[in-house]
């Protein structure tokens, strides 16, 4: 298995632009998580899905952020409009049985200028 | 709510020294516990896990024992190497995965 695949690896965009981050979970996994990592705040859970259904989005910072999972093999995290304070590394992770561990993607480093 | 507290770093050790990184948790149920490692510029990798009380997780010379009575899951290694330099995260899972703030380890030759 290729693992959790995220794209792009790096994204540089101007303030106000729309940004879409993509994630392909491991085939057969039924849970998907989006995290954000910054030096100041560490790892923050933004949202997670179970069987393609959003379960907890309380970590989504504001309405500018939205996430979808149209099918079991694809998820997106969108920021519209983007702001400099959104600059961070965004990780996607998937799991089959949460108690057994989660597999992380390599992350997308987002820079908003 | 559920939370994880781990010792703040950075931790700097000489090669072959003994490592302990403390981790305690707060949870209403019976979570699974994990240690993840993040090497510079990379994503998080699962290092070891324990799913119930008194379980010991181990991998690559690292160990941690799930202690329900002290709500702890301390990470240990008997002899660290330069290649162990990374950030280590303690985490618990009861549906979602909750991380501690991470501890940066630097091992000097």
């Amino acid at each position: 298995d290729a693992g959790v695949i995220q794209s792009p690896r790096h994204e540089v965009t101007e303030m106000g632009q729309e940004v879409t981050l993509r994630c392909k979970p491991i085939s057969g996994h039924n849970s998907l998580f989006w995290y954000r990592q910054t030096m100041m705040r560490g790892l923050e859970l933004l949202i997670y899905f179970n069987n393609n259904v959003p379960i907890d989005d309380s970590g989504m910072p504001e309405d500018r952020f939205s996430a979808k999972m149209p099918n079991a093999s694809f998820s997106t995290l969108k920021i519209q409009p983007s702001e400099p304070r959104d600059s961070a590394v965004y990780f996607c992770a998937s799991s089959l049985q949460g108690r057994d561990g989660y597999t992380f993607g390599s992350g997308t480093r987002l820079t908003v200028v | 709510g559920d939370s994880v507290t781990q010792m703040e770093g950075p931790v700097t050790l000489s090669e072959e020294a003994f490592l302990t990184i403390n981790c305690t948790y707060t949870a209403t149920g019976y979570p699974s516990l994990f240690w993840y490692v993040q090497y510079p510029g990379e994503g998080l990798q699962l290092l070891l896990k324990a799913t119930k009380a008194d379980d010991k997780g181990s991998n690559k010379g690292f160990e941690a024992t799930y202690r329900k009575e002290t709500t702890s899951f301390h990470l240990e290694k008997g002899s660290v190497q330069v290649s162990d330099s990374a950030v280590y995260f303690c985490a618990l899972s009861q549906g979602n995965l909750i991380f501690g703030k991470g501890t940066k380890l630097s091992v000097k030759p």
Side-chain angles (χ1 to χ4, degrees):
Chain A
D1 198 316
V4 176
I5 300 173
Q6 291 187 245
S7 64
R9 286 298 308 272
H10 303 274
E11 176 80 34
V12 180
T13 190
E14 292 185 346
M15 182 174 63
Q17 296 297 306
E18 177 180 296
V19 175
T20 299
L21 311 181
R22 296 172 177 80
C23 176
K24 176 177 167 52
I26 289 176
S27 177
H29 280 190
N30 63 348
S31 297
L32 184 140
F33 305 79
W34 282 101
Y35 286 87
R36 177 171 69 175
Q37 186 179 36
T38 61
M39 289 293 292
M40 291 295 294
R41 301 171 72 94
L43 272 163
E44 302 173 278
L45 176 65
L46 300 178
I47 184 171
Y48 79 96
F49 296 84
N50 229 17
N51 296 317
N52 312 340
V53 176
I55 301 300
D56 183 356
D57 66 355
S58 60
M60 296 285 262
E62 49 198 274
D63 291 345
R64 298 185 296 107
F65 286 68
S66 62
K68 294 182 179 179
M69 193 165 185
N71 56 62
S73 59
F74 184 65
S75 177
T76 60
L77 177 68
K78 184 178 295 186
I79 308 172
Q80 166 63 19
S82 58
E83 296 182 3
R85 60 193 168 116
D86 302 330
S87 297
V89 181
Y90 291 81
F91 288 104
C92 176
S94 71
S95 170
L96 174 56
Q97 298 289 345
R99 296 181 69 83
D100 293 333
Y102 300 63
T103 303
F104 280 76
S106 298
T108 295
R109 181 175 294 278
L110 173 65
T111 303
V112 183
V113 298
Chain B
D2 296 350
S3 65
V4 175
T5 302
Q6 60 183 106
M7 63 186 287
E8 293 190 19
V11 174
T12 302
L13 296 173
S14 297
E15 207 165 22
E16 300 183 3
F18 185 87
L19 169 71
T20 300
I21 301 178
N22 289 337
C23 170
T24 57
Y25 68 91
T26 302
T28 52
Y30 301 94
S32 290
L33 301 175
F34 306 89
W35 277 99
Y36 280 82
V37 58
Q38 186 177 30
Y39 298 101
E42 298 185 12
L44 281 81
Q45 301 175 26
L46 178 64
L47 181 60
L48 54 85
K49 67 182 181 186
T51 58
K52 61 183 187 299
D54 300 325
D55 268 3
K56 177 186 282 188
S58 60
N59 186 26
K60 300 180 181 180
F62 291 89
E63 293 183 339
T65 301
Y66 190 141
R67 300 287 187 200
K68 185 169 179 293
E69 63 277 12
T70 54
T71 62
S72 64
F73 193 56
H74 304 322
L75 182 69
E76 297 182 337
K77 186 174 185 182
S79 176
V80 294
Q81 306 300 313
V82 172
S83 57
D84 293 328
S85 298
V87 180
Y88 292 81
F89 293 91
C90 185
L92 69 82
S93 173
Q94 288 198 112
N96 61 358
L97 191 60
I98 298 170
F99 286 94
K101 292 188 181 299
T103 303
K104 184 176 181 179
L105 171 66
S106 295
V107 181
K108 307 298 185 186

